[in-house]
Amino acid sequence: MRALRRLVFGLFGLLGLSFLSFVLIYYSQGSVAFANVSQGMSSALRYQIEENLNLHQPMLKQYETWLFNALRGDFAVSLVSGEDVLSIIKERLPNTLILGGVAFGGLVILSLFLGLASLFSPTLDRLMSIVGLGFAALPAFSISLLLILFFSVLWPIFPSSGASGIGVEENIWDRILHLVLPVSALILSHLGIFVQFVRTTLNDSLNQSFIQFGLARGLSFFYIATRWIFKYSLPPMISYFAASFVSFMVGVYVVEGVFSYGGIGSSLINGLIFKDYPLILAILTLSFLAVMIVNFVADCLCEWLNQGRV
């Protein structure tokens, strides 16, 4: 019930997000007119281009037109390229899903493993506190540039841009090599904080009274860990992972831009530069829906796990 209530509120939040985003785009600097003519443009030519694209209309009128079209499933066309916005997203979304899915899955698995290991290894705990949190303090684009410098320039081991090599788009091994650096950048930018949260949550579970109760009954620590500790720890972990999905998604878009990965993040950055609001709003709407779905699934899992929580 709580998950469904949050989903309903999220739909209203989606409407507010789209309006706020449109206002910010409307009042931002730049113009779509500069997308094809970068220099030497007169004010009259710029106004003519914007008028041809109906950008001279009042802000509320433009938003109203976009909103009612979007509710019918029509997200218009890109003001820069003239392509259908949904076609652009459909073409580029698989790359984003592959990059984000692999990175987030690897981040969760590594966080659980290292968090549990650092709980019983003071050396690993200190190492994660220094190295892991050190990387977490850096922006994702800084880590990306460092990885490119070391593993593409100084030691040319991995490719530095693109989702695949030219002419070998179907080569699985080549696509994996192109994934290594962007996935590493995303994992390193979040791993330290995730590991510390997992370690703290597991440590809190170990200090609960039911642990001593189980040991007093003669139960093995393995049984207590698998049946009680993880049941107690999983709901807050799942909630934290889901709550961090927003910042992780932003990191995916930034890393895509640095590595020219060809996902919707690169399209979003280009759209922001030239105020291509149909493309920007479509990507932001899709991103917010993804966040809502992830949090809805996380809430359902937590409610199910809490039913049998010790």
Side-chain angles (χ1 to χ4, degrees):
M1 187 63 183
R2 174 175 172 268
L4 186 60
R5 186 166 59 250
R6 290 185 61 180
L7 182 62
V8 172
F9 283 126
L11 294 176
F12 287 102
L14 178 59
L15 180 63
L17 173 72
S18 65
F19 179 72
L20 179 60
S21 300
F22 190 90
V23 171
L24 292 175
I25 297 168
Y26 185 84
Y27 287 107
S28 64
Q29 297 294 323
S31 172
V32 70
F34 297 120
N36 298 316
V37 182
S38 58
Q39 295 180 354
M41 178 181 293
S42 65
S43 300
L45 178 59
R46 173 181 173 178
Y47 179 81
Q48 185 62 48
I49 294 174
E50 293 178 349
E51 186 177 22
N52 293 338
L53 295 172
N54 294 322
L55 299 178
H56 65 290
Q57 296 180 350
M59 181 188 69
L60 292 179
K61 177 62 177 177
Q62 292 186 51
Y63 176 74
E64 178 186 356
T65 302
W66 175 85
L67 179 62
F68 283 105
N69 288 335
L71 291 175
R72 294 196 298 266
D74 179 14
F75 286 91
V77 298
S78 169
L79 300 180
V80 175
S81 65
E83 298 178 77
D84 183 70
V85 167
L86 291 181
S87 297
I88 296 175
I89 293 177
K90 183 179 180 181
E91 177 186 354
R92 293 175 171 266
L93 184 60
N95 285 340
T96 299
L97 290 178
I98 292 173
L99 174 60
V102 172
F104 195 73
L107 176 62
V108 171
I109 294 173
L110 281 174
S111 300
L112 293 174
F113 175 77
L114 293 175
L116 180 61
S118 62
L119 188 65
F120 300 101
S121 174
T123 302
L124 180 61
D125 185 33
R126 287 193 295 270
L127 182 64
M128 288 306 303
S129 298
I130 298 173
V131 179
L133 295 180
F135 277 112
L138 294 173
F141 72 87
S142 298
I143 298 176
S144 301
L145 293 176
L146 286 173
L147 291 176
I148 291 174
L149 174 63
F150 284 104
F151 298 105
S152 293
V153 179
L154 298 179
W155 299 291
I157 303 173
F158 300 107
S160 62
S161 63
S164 63
I166 299 176
V168 290
E169 289 81 4
E170 304 301 323
N171 190 310
I172 302 299
W173 176 246
D174 182 73
R175 294 186 69 91
I176 291 175
L177 290 178
H178 280 80
L179 270 174
V180 171
L181 292 187
V183 166
S184 300
L186 288 169
I187 290 178
L188 289 174
S189 63
H190 293 82
L191 185 62
I193 298 176
F194 275 47
V195 169
Q196 289 299 315
F197 183 84
V198 169
R199 180 194 176 283
T200 302
T201 305
L202 290 174
N203 188 57
D204 178 64
S205 301
L206 288 173
N207 293 327
Q208 298 299 312
S209 58
F210 62 80
I211 301 297
Q212 286 74 27
F213 174 74
L215 293 174
R217 288 178 55 189
L219 299 176
S220 67
F221 184 78
F222 178 79
Y223 179 89
I224 295 173
T226 54
R227 300 295 182 88
W228 292 0
I229 294 178
F230 282 105
K231 272 190 177 181
Y232 188 89
S233 303
L234 278 178
M237 290 182 191
I238 293 174
S239 297
Y240 180 78
F241 292 154
S244 302
F245 189 71
V246 175
S247 63
F248 182 83
M249 184 179 295
V250 172
V252 171
Y253 293 164
V254 171
V255 168
E256 279 186 357
V258 175
F259 286 95
S260 301
Y261 194 73
I264 60 175
S266 302
S267 299
L268 177 62
I269 294 173
N270 291 332
L272 289 171
I273 294 173
F274 296 113
K275 297 180 67 171
D276 190 355
Y277 78 85
L279 182 61
I280 297 171
L281 292 179
I283 293 176
L284 290 180
T285 300
L286 178 65
S287 302
F288 194 83
L289 285 174
V291 171
M292 287 173 53
I293 292 172
V294 168
N295 281 272
F296 177 73
V297 172
D299 287 340
C300 292
L301 283 174
C302 289
E303 289 185 7
W304 177 68
L305 289 170
N306 282 328
Q307 291 177 359
R309 192 168 179 178
V310 179

